[in-house]
Amino acid sequence: MPRTPTPDEPEVDLDDLPDTHPPQPVYYAEQALLGALLLEPHRLNNVDGIEPDSFSNYAHGALFAAIRALPAPDPNQHAKDTTWLNAVLTAAREHARGLTASYLHTLIQVCPWPRHAPAYARMIETEHARRTLRAHAERLAHTATDGTLPHPVPTTLSEADALARAVDDIAARFPSHSGSLPRTPAPPSATISDNDEEAVEEERLLLATATAHPADVEQMRWLTADDFAHPLHAGLWQCLTALARRRAPVDPVTVLWEAQQRGLLASGAEPAELLDLLGAPAGSAEYWGERILQRSVLATARHVGLRIEAFTDDPATTPYQLILGSRRALAELSAARARWHHATSPAPTTTPTRAAAPPRAGPPRTTAPPARISR
């Protein structure tokens, strides 16, 4: 919403403001609703689902707050004078000094049908939901790329949770119905650039270290080929995981042979270069794997934020499509989140089992058949 004017700023008539940006349809819905309420204040009883901050125009929100705060006038008296309108203007001008009496009369004149006030309010509620969702999506995308955060993944996932709660809130206010996913084209996938030297180096170290310690590969099922920045590295990780799961010998030569069988050398990779890459282990495979997974989770979060932003920027996207598309996008992040928790959660400690207590003494048992009773 626009900022609140300072008290020392000169008054500005809203009718005199230059039209630098053509108003969106919701602007006219806001004018129509306010005109309906100014003309027939009792229509406020049929308006729900919106608050002053639901309006895209700050002055409109201030007017709505004033209308809602003042008792409705007597209809007959309201038709004769402007006492109530003057009171509304005075209350609203405490927060929006640019409002004028002439603008209130303009609102009344542009309202097509006061009885359509609930429909106008629903339009305002829809656009407010769109703006709310966009703000959350922007924060998610920004947080995912903020390199100053000490704990980027938890902070980013917290923003994703806030976005999910916003989606749930919108879903509660807009009943679901049959429909389709948004038709808005998805933005390019937010993958890690293979020009990122740090990311590429960490992937090389992981591949070499995992080749030297193949037993660690089986413990890293949380890392997938899609997490890698460089396609060749993704293919080599698939080679490593395939060999480890087959319990086949793992060393630079066997990985090279597996790479040849999978067609990786057709991309121009030289065998000697791959042997050099796989023969320089350093550190812990799990450490490098977590670094790669962290980049992947953050890239996924950024992509989810950008996708939802694209949905909200498309005026043809209905509230139900916003809900459906946002939940589908967040599901992708949930899958990455689950793998991150699997990778970073401490291994469960096993509690030693207590020795079974000896059986209590009881009457002797026998498997012999019961004796026959002679008659």
Side-chain angles (χ1 to χ4, degrees), residues 24-337:
Q24 297 299 313
V26 68
Y27 178 85
Y28 300 105
E30 293 175 5
Q31 285 190 321
L33 174 64
L34 292 172
L37 298 181
L38 292 171
L39 185 62
E40 300 179 6
H42 68 277
R43 300 286 180 186
L44 183 63
N45 297 328
N46 301 324
V47 172
D48 55 15
I50 61 172
E51 298 291 334
D53 62 359
S54 300
F55 290 76
S56 64
N57 181 282
Y58 182 87
H60 289 172
L63 259 179
F64 180 76
I67 292 171
R68 197 170 61 171
L70 293 174
D74 175 78
N76 295 327
Q77 186 66 30
H78 183 57
K80 296 177 182 177
D81 58 46
T82 61
T83 302
W84 185 79
L85 292 178
N86 293 336
V88 168
L89 179 61
T90 300
R93 278 171 56 87
E94 294 181 3
H95 304 281
R97 297 187 59 193
L99 287 169
T100 63
S102 64
Y103 187 66
L104 266 62
H105 288 287
T106 298
L107 294 175
I108 294 173
Q109 292 172 357
V110 300
C111 176
W113 294 101
R115 65 173 180 267
H116 293 169
Y120 304 144
R122 191 62 164 175
M123 298 173 193
I124 295 168
E125 184 181 11
T126 298
E127 288 304 306
H128 179 245
R130 188 188 305 275
R131 293 194 304 274
T132 300
L133 203 57
R134 192 183 200 287
H136 280 286
E138 285 179 339
R139 283 197 292 271
L140 175 60
H142 173 75
T143 304
T145 56
D146 187 351
T148 65
L149 297 174
H151 305 289
V153 173
T155 306
T156 299
L157 293 180
S158 178
E159 290 293 346
D161 290 338
L163 173 56
R165 288 192 295 270
V167 173
D168 290 341
D169 178 66
I170 294 171
R173 292 186 284 119
F174 292 88
S176 62
H177 57 81
S178 59
S180 60
L181 287 168
R183 295 179 294 273
T184 309
S189 297
T191 56
I192 305 169
S193 170
D194 57 22
N195 294 323
D196 187 332
E197 294 182 2
E198 184 179 9
V200 171
E201 181 61 21
E202 289 176 352
E203 292 177 2
R204 292 169 64 92
L205 290 170
L206 168 66
L207 293 169
T209 307
T211 301
H213 305 282
D216 294 340
V217 176
E218 276 293 279
Q219 309 303 319
M220 298 172 60
R221 292 178 178 266
W222 37 263
L223 189 67
T224 70
D226 292 336
D227 296 323
F228 287 75
H230 198 293
L232 176 61
H233 296 168
L236 290 174
W237 179 249
Q238 289 176 320
C239 295
L240 270 167
T241 55
L243 290 172
R245 289 168 187 172
R246 295 202 307 261
R247 301 293 190 271
V250 177
D251 60 40
V253 174
T254 61
V255 175
L256 176 63
W257 185 259
E258 183 75 13
Q260 176 179 270
Q261 300 302 303
R262 291 172 175 263
L264 295 182
L265 303 186
S267 62
E270 294 293 338
E273 292 179 357
L274 293 186
L275 289 175
D276 289 342
L277 183 157
L278 298 170
S284 163
E286 288 195 357
Y287 172 79
W288 300 122
E290 287 183 16
R291 292 282 299 171
I292 293 167
L293 180 57
Q294 173 176 299
R295 293 177 187 275
S296 179
V297 171
L298 295 177
T300 301
R302 176 177 179 271
H303 183 57
V304 168
L306 293 177
R307 281 186 63 188
I308 296 176
E309 278 188 52
F311 295 156
T312 61
D313 287 342
D314 186 352
T317 306
T318 66
Y320 181 68
Q321 287 177 319
L322 282 176
I323 296 165
L324 193 60
S326 298
R327 284 178 169 169
R328 180 71 62 88
L330 286 167
E332 298 179 11
L333 183 56
S334 296
R337 178 204 295 258

Side-chain angles (χ1 to χ4, degrees), residues 345-353:
S345 299
T349 57
T350 57
T351 305
T353 57

